Amino acid sequence: MACPGTASRALALALVAVALAGVKAQGSSLEEPGYYEQELWRPGRYNERPEPQPEPSSPLPKGPGEEEEEGEEERELHPQEPRPPKRAIKPKKAPKREKLAVETPPPGKNRNRKGRRTRGPEKDARDDHGVSVAHETVRESCPPLGLETLKITDFQLHASTAKRYGLGAHRGRLNIQAGINENDFYDGAWCAGRNDLHQWIEVDARRLTRFTGVITQGRNSLWLSDWVTSYKVMVSNDSHTWVTVKNGSSDMIFEGNSEKEIPVLNELPVPMVARYVRINPQSWFDNGSICMRMEVLGCPLPDPNNYYHRRNEMTTTDDLDFKHHNYKEMRQLMKVVNEMCPNITRIYNIGKSHQGLKLYAVEISDHPGEHEVGEPEFHYIAGAHGNEVLGRELLLLLLQFLCQEYLAQNTRIVRLVEETRIHILPSLNPDGYEKACEGGSELGGWSLGRWTHDGLDINNNFPDLNTLLWEAEDRQNVPRTVPNHYIAIPEWFLSENATVAMETRAVIAWMEKIPFVLGGNLQGGELVVAYPYDMVRSPWKTQEHTPTPDDHVFRWLAYSYASTHRLMTDARRRVCHTEDFQKEEGTVNGASWHTVAGSLNDFSYLHTNCFELSIYVGCDKYPHESELPEEWENNRESLIVFMEQVHRGIKGMVRDLHGKGIPNAIISVEGVNHDIRTASDGDYWRLLNPGEYVVTAKAEGFTSSTKNCMVGYDMGATRCDFTLGKTNLARIREIMEKFGKQPVSIPPRRLKLRGRKRRQRG
């Protein structure tokens, strides 16, 4: 069953005619017969509509344990007669570029408007001030204008008064977050300078727009309680003459918020066509002030003669399924990709969520299902926070894109697939997503669905290995008691009573099984790439730059994503909330941003070979479906470039004299206090920036070997192999074991006494 506000609906082309008719209509009266016999206003859920019936061929999960599962993963994911998802289409027989199956509407149609439509043409009326009022017999919603996504600039927001600059109109955006100190620059709402009925905040859409609704919140603040409990809505074409939305003959009063964080949607009784929309508070919380955050729902009318708008409208040529996918739809999409590209894809699961939903991953490789010696392993993870939905959809789009481009013989993608084993886990917290999905993209709020079903934050639920390492370093016990890599997980963390999410345990087992070299976990709510360490070393600080021994490598990895993103390094862009990351070109050291103990990034670095980064892909955690094509264009190149970085540095084999690979051999780089280890076949990959390095390979029972290895600027890791011979003691043990005897270990004191007696005899 699709989540409210997420299933897509194509709009009829009649909308264009309706919009233009609304602009051209002259002299019609609001009092025309039947006008107020239309659907009356009522507060409701964004894009509320009748629940669609589930498809009989692919029923939804039944809850914990997934009762509909057939018990056999291959049977579930590869049925003998696979049925495509609801919107899927089969690929054409002989296309120039194979298209991945999920039907998209033709250009000019908006798929994201929900609700029923009338079959006949709509009638428009125009009031005395030239504001068009579109008549319709049923409700139809429009997507957000973009206050939350920053499509609406600060210059398009105006207010009657402001308490101070940090509470100006530019801060009146849905879900905007206040700074820690709530200072003059970064506060959590627009707040009027006075508390009276003459205050307002308005949005200039810069073109005629069909306004259909308003979503409001109170002020984001740890200390204060400020929100608007009722308001009027006014529209205008010139910002001087305003028309108040009415219900009958009187001005309509919309019910506002009852607390400061949960968004509330109010739909206009009749869509209004105008350029400006204004919110006029009528009442507010008794002990608070007039403060609000908001989003406006509206459909911009077509304006083919306006070059400015045509130039700035984002389009994409990729034929992908731009929609939100619930759990069932996500599985179906994976099946479609697998059926289109069976030779390079494999679907598997790494475990289950608290509610019993499988954590599905898709492997993309020219030999799926096996680790190829010398081929690095890469992963993307999304959805650790269930309400950060953009990362989830970007990875599903990436799956489709890689399959399509591989079939089209895109040289770059073919090389990437054939030389890399890629793993994509789109939804690590499906339980949280299902909860966020119930609220929808605009009404979910900032935190609904963030945590697992049992209330844990997966991203910070890993064992704190930083403290173990740093305490050992302070006692100068490294590497004797604690190595500088592959630090063991504490026993208390492994116990059944430990407060550890099932999803966290699944990821740990996954990362211990597969020798990942590089990984990115996609998150939301910001535009920045964060690299470890995520935890500060000074226990009394909350922010402190805390670099790893591989700081230069991590900086490069972060910059490789940020610099190829369309917005991250754009100095002209507005900050999402409070932090300006331009001083480091769209990147940040996690600990210098905010300290986190037990992060996935730090755990990966200290417990495995994997270099992990957190990639925050958008200011809006849960963007409307209409935003997905633009977000895909923003992130597509970055997603590919970051995967290609797995081939930077050195790689090779560590073998014995007989040519057999040595597992768990330690690879050390002079001057870098962090080692890595070889995989089970003796192959290794060490991410390094260009330069010359002194590299040593060592393993228990073998003599060490040291080489100079050069890393160039061209893409592709430098080959640097090692051959290790066994030590004399290892040889003796091997010979003794061969003949069924064990070498005798003599205590050092007895050896010393024996040597003294020999000298006395001599």
Side-chain angles (χ1 to χ4, degrees), residues 47-184:
N47 290 339
E48 188 171 37
R49 57 191 175 82
E51 290 286 348
Q53 295 299 318
E55 299 174 49
S57 60
S58 301
L60 270 175
K62 310 263 185 200
E66 292 190 314
E67 296 175 13
E68 86 288 357
E69 291 178 8
E70 298 176 4
E72 208 173 302
E73 181 181 336
E74 289 299 318
R75 187 169 55 184
E76 179 186 71
L77 294 173
H78 305 283
Q80 293 182 356
E81 296 181 1
R83 296 175 181 173
K86 185 176 181 181
R87 299 187 53 105
I89 59 174
K90 294 183 179 179
K92 297 179 181 178
K93 291 184 178 179
K96 185 175 181 181
R97 171 188 296 238
E98 292 214 35
K99 295 186 178 181
L100 189 63
V102 187
E103 187 175 342
T104 54
K109 290 189 178 183
N110 190 323
R111 330 174 43 194
N112 304 290
R113 314 216 186 137
K114 311 296 191 293
R116 299 163 293 169
R117 290 183 51 80
T118 56
R119 294 186 179 182
E122 297 171 352
K123 296 180 180 180
D124 286 345
R126 183 180 295 274
D127 62 23
D128 294 337
H129 301 288
V131 175
S132 298
V133 181
H135 286 216
E136 54 180 20
T137 57
V138 291
R139 170 60 52 207
E140 178 194 339
S141 296
C142 285
L145 290 187
L147 277 77
E148 184 175 6
T149 61
L150 306 182
K151 263 189 161 182
I152 297 296
T153 68
D154 289 351
F155 300 105
Q156 293 173 259
L157 299 173
H158 308 279
S160 52
T161 60
K163 190 168 291 188
R164 49 185 168 80
Y165 176 77
L167 294 168
H170 66 291
R171 301 299 292 176
R173 301 172 180 272
L174 191 73
N175 284 321
I176 204 164
Q177 302 295 293
I180 297 175
N181 300 318
E182 300 186 25
N183 55 34
D184 281 339

Side-chain angles (χ1 to χ4, degrees), residues 691-712:
E692 185 175 349
Y693 299 91
V694 178
V695 183
T696 300
K698 54 188 175 182
E700 186 177 353
F702 294 87
T703 57
S704 62
S705 175
T706 301
K707 285 185 176 182
N708 288 339
C709 301
M710 177 69 72
V711 177

Side-chain angles (χ1 to χ4, degrees), residues 279-514:
I279 310 302
N280 172 215
Q282 297 296 295
S283 61
W284 44 94
F285 181 56
D286 290 342
N287 298 321
S289 303
I290 297 178
C291 295
M292 66 189 310
R293 295 173 283 169
M294 69 175 190
E295 180 63 86
V296 176
L297 307 182
C299 301
L301 300 191
D303 189 3
N305 298 320
N306 191 320
Y307 172 74
Y308 172 81
H309 293 307
R310 283 188 285 113
R311 182 187 64 184
N312 289 278
E313 286 174 349
M314 173 60 63
T315 59
T316 180
T317 58
D318 295 326
D319 184 17
L320 308 175
D321 187 27
F322 294 105
K323 58 165 286 191
H324 288 298
H325 298 79
N326 63 19
Y327 183 76
K328 184 188 75 169
E329 293 166 337
M330 178 184 73
R331 293 189 311 169
Q332 290 175 329
L333 183 60
M334 289 178 175
K335 292 179 188 178
V336 172
V337 173
N338 179 244
E339 290 160 9
M340 286 199 62
C341 297
N343 295 330
I344 63 167
T345 61
R346 178 178 71 99
I347 307 173
Y348 65 100
N349 74 80
I350 69 168
K352 289 187 177 182
S353 70
H354 188 275
Q355 290 290 88
L357 300 180
K358 286 186 177 180
L359 308 178
Y360 286 111
V362 178
E363 176 192 341
I364 302 177
S365 170
D366 57 342
H367 291 88
E370 61 180 277
H371 169 71
E372 297 181 69
V373 176
E375 187 171 291
E377 309 250 3
F378 175 93
H379 74 251
Y380 272 130
I381 299 173
H385 297 145
N387 64 329
E388 293 171 9
V389 177
L390 178 56
R392 170 192 178 111
E393 296 305 329
L394 287 176
L395 292 190
L396 293 178
L397 292 168
L398 180 63
L399 282 176
Q400 302 170 61
F401 179 79
L402 292 176
C403 175
Q404 284 185 359
E405 296 301 308
Y406 184 85
L407 294 176
Q409 291 298 294
N410 180 321
T411 304
R412 182 186 186 190
I413 300 303
V414 170
R415 182 188 304 114
L416 182 64
V417 170
E418 292 181 349
E419 297 179 358
T420 318
R421 192 180 181 207
I422 303 166
H423 303 257
I424 296 179
L425 180 66
S427 185
L428 180 55
N429 181 9
D431 297 348
Y433 173 81
E434 294 300 312
K435 188 176 296 184
C437 181
E438 293 175 3
S441 63
E442 312 307 322
L443 300 182
W446 187 252
S447 60
L448 180 66
R450 175 184 176 90
W451 299 281
T452 63
H453 185 77
D454 46 348
L456 299 175
D457 185 340
I458 297 175
N459 196 54
N460 309 333
N461 192 224
F462 293 84
D464 172 16
L465 304 182
N466 305 58
T467 302
L468 296 177
L469 174 64
W470 294 335
E471 288 180 352
E473 287 180 346
D474 292 340
R475 295 193 303 266
Q476 298 183 346
N477 285 335
V478 174
R480 286 177 294 167
T481 58
V482 177
N484 66 8
H485 70 296
Y486 271 44
I487 300 174
I489 298 175
E491 290 186 8
W492 66 264
F493 188 90
L494 300 174
S495 68
E496 294 183 1
N497 296 328
T499 308
V500 182
M502 292 179 61
E503 297 87 345
T504 305
R505 296 188 189 275
V507 170
I508 291 176
W510 185 47
M511 300 190 72
E512 288 178 337
K513 180 179 179 181
I514 300 176

Side-chain angles (χ1 to χ4, degrees), residues 249-289:
S249 59
S250 59
D251 293 349
M252 187 165 189
I253 305 297
F254 294 92
E255 183 178 349
N257 299 87
S258 57
E259 58 91 66
K260 55 189 173 184
E261 287 299 336
I262 298 177
V264 173
L265 165 69
N266 281 296
E267 294 179 318
L268 305 187
V270 177
M272 307 289 285
V273 177
R275 172 175 169 174
Y276 300 87
V277 61
R278 175 179 285 185
I279 310 302
N280 172 215
Q282 297 296 295
S283 61
W284 44 94
F285 181 56
D286 290 342
N287 298 321
S289 303

